[in-house]
Amino acid sequence: MTVFDLRGGCVALGGREILHEVTVSVDSGEFVAVLGANGSGKTTLVRALVGLVPLAAGRLEIFGTPIAHFHDWPRLGYVPQRLAVGGGVPSTVREVVASGRTGRARRLRRLGRADHAAIDHALEDVGLAHRGKDRVATLSGGQQQRVLIARALAGEPEVLVLDEPTAGVDADSQDTLAGALGHLSRLGGSVVLVAHELGPLAGLIDRAVVMGGGRVLSDGPPPAPEGHHARADHVHTHAHEPAVPGRPSVLDPRTFDR
């Protein structure tokens, strides 16, 4: 089954066209990296795939359904780059991860045994089982990123989309993230991630979509890392496009902060 099928996709933000007639698809079980320099359009592409920014032109289907008619959002998980979950968030690690079950729970229903098991497994997958009772604000940036990924994993999505999950993250956290994503992939889940460099994720990638100037420059085997981008301590950050009012936001596209 095809998870994402984008044909001739165009996205305009602030009156400026960011994506230009992009065509890309992701099949079930694939691990796809979206690569490119700052301003290449890679973040805009994945945000368009999960409905965070609207298409100005083109067609997008998710699991074979046109996006305008797609409502089964718990099948998707989305993790932004370095969301500031620490500041002003008094919740514990387990509470944040538990919120990832919201999309699967009926309203007002207490979490059941299956929910708690999914939360436990997600925390174990990202190496934070021992930090469940700690406040998120006490964690390092890399650990906070792992919390966000655990939150997405707790929802048991069929496809996980991540925006530069290893950017500015320490080497140990990168290895842990690679292990968690590799586990999801081995279970048959699809992974789409934006990256500036692959680092420990390189061995997991089936295919790389290289962006440049808002267009797909290549789509095939991932390129070998070179220069300073091949170093595990290379740090990359970039500004993100604002969310579109009324569209879903991070992780569970229906329920997280708008």
Side-chain angles (χ1 to χ4, degrees), residues 156-173:
E156 299 177 307
E158 295 176 44
V159 56
L160 186 60
V161 179
L162 309 98
D163 189 0
E164 301 219 29
T166 61
V169 172
D170 61 87
D172 287 342
S173 289

Side-chain angles (χ1 to χ4, degrees), residues 97-160:
V97 175
S99 66
R101 296 296 295 178
T102 303
R104 292 190 171 273
R106 294 187 301 273
R107 288 187 178 183
L108 305 181
R109 181 180 71 80
R110 296 173 65 92
L111 295 180
R113 182 176 299 178
D115 298 309
H116 288 294
I119 294 164
D120 290 339
H121 291 155
L123 285 168
E124 291 170 3
D125 283 344
V126 301
L128 291 176
H130 63 298
R131 302 296 301 269
K133 295 181 179 179
D134 294 343
R135 299 288 182 181
V136 176
T138 66
L139 304 185
S140 68
Q143 290 169 332
Q144 289 185 8
Q145 189 71 2
R146 285 195 250 166
V147 171
L148 292 178
I149 293 174
R151 183 187 189 278
L153 292 175
E156 299 177 307
E158 295 176 44
V159 56
L160 186 60

Side-chain angles (χ1 to χ4, degrees), residues 15-136:
R16 182 169 64 94
E17 190 167 272
I18 307 298
L19 295 186
H20 314 284
E21 298 184 358
V22 170
T23 293
V24 67
S25 65
V26 177
D27 290 334
S28 179
E30 275 197 300
F31 199 125
V32 177
V34 181
L35 309 177
N38 286 359
S40 62
K42 57 188 187 295
T43 287
T44 302
L45 172 58
V46 296
R47 287 168 65 84
L49 291 179
V50 297
L52 290 174
V53 293
L55 294 178
R59 174 177 59 85
L60 171 64
E61 292 184 354
I62 304 177
F63 291 108
T65 301
I67 188 170
H69 303 291
F70 182 77
H71 304 292
D72 200 4
W73 294 109
R75 298 177 73 179
L76 308 181
Y78 174 69
V79 182
Q81 183 193 153
R82 302 300 300 273
L83 182 70
V85 297
V89 178
S91 301
T92 65
V93 168
R94 188 176 183 85
E95 287 170 344
V96 171
V97 175
S99 66
R101 296 296 295 178
T102 303
R104 292 190 171 273
R106 294 187 301 273
R107 288 187 178 183
L108 305 181
R109 181 180 71 80
R110 296 173 65 92
L111 295 180
R113 182 176 299 178
D115 298 309
H116 288 294
I119 294 164
D120 290 339
H121 291 155
L123 285 168
E124 291 170 3
D125 283 344
V126 301
L128 291 176
H130 63 298
R131 302 296 301 269
K133 295 181 179 179
D134 294 343
R135 299 288 182 181
V136 176

